[in-house]
Amino acid sequence: MTTVELPAIPAKRYFTIGEVSELSGVKPHVLRYWEQEFLQLGQIKRRGNRRYYQHQEVLLIRRIRGLLYDDGFTIQGARQRLQQQSGAPASMSAGEVRKELQSILAWLDLGIGKY
C-alpha cells in the first residue's frame, strides 16, 4: 500500500475533531470510535460538549492511522504495537484494575501503620 501524504500540523494548542479529521485523513465517526478502542486517546478535552485534541494526540492518531491503513494491522494489533513502542503495560480489564488498586491500598495501609 502507498502511504497518503498528510498535511502539516499547524502550531495550535487545540484542534477540533473536524480539523483532526482533515489532518489525519480519518472521518470524525472513526475518530470517535478510536477514542473507545485506544486508551491513549482518553485525554480528550471537551468544552461545551465539543471534542478538542492536543498536538500529541493528533500525532498519535496519525500513527494509529498508519498502523491500521498503511501497515494492515488490526485494531488489537495496532493497540499492542503502540504499547510495545511506548513501553506501556497491556490494557487491563476493569476487574484487573480493581484488584491492582486494592493491592496498592492494602500495601499503603500496611506501610502507614508502621509509622
Side-chain angles (χ1 to χ4, degrees):
M1 281 187 157
T2 59
T3 58
V4 175
E5 186 68 29
L6 298 173
I9 301 173
K12 290 176 55 174
R13 186 171 183 129
Y14 297 105
F15 300 89
T16 65
I17 194 167
E19 292 170 325
V20 175
S21 175
E22 291 177 15
L23 292 170
S24 63
V26 178
K27 294 189 183 285
H29 72 273
V30 175
L31 293 172
R32 288 189 290 273
Y33 174 71
W34 286 358
E35 290 174 17
Q36 298 170 20
E37 294 298 322
F38 295 94
L39 299 177
Q40 298 92 332
L41 291 176
Q43 298 301 322
I44 296 167
K45 305 210 183 289
R46 293 182 170 97
R47 294 184 197 147
N49 205 24
R50 292 189 63 187
R51 287 172 168 79
Y52 288 91
Y53 298 84
Q54 293 184 353
H55 185 82
Q56 69 269 14
E57 291 163 335
V58 177
L59 293 173
L60 177 59
I61 288 168
R62 285 181 163 197
R63 180 69 183 126
I64 292 169
R65 182 199 182 285
L67 290 170
L68 295 174
Y69 296 174
D70 299 333
D71 299 340
F73 280 85
T74 63
I75 287 187
Q76 179 64 29
R79 200 181 297 131
Q80 289 174 352
R81 175 60 61 100
L82 289 172
Q83 289 168 353
Q84 289 171 353
Q85 291 174 344
S86 69
S91 61
M92 296 193 296
S93 69
E96 292 170 327
V97 170
R98 183 176 296 119
K99 286 180 186 177
E100 183 70 18
L101 289 173
Q102 287 172 339
S103 68
I104 291 170
L105 284 172
W107 180 78
L108 287 171
D109 286 341
L110 290 174
I112 292 172
K114 292 182 180 179
Y115 298 105

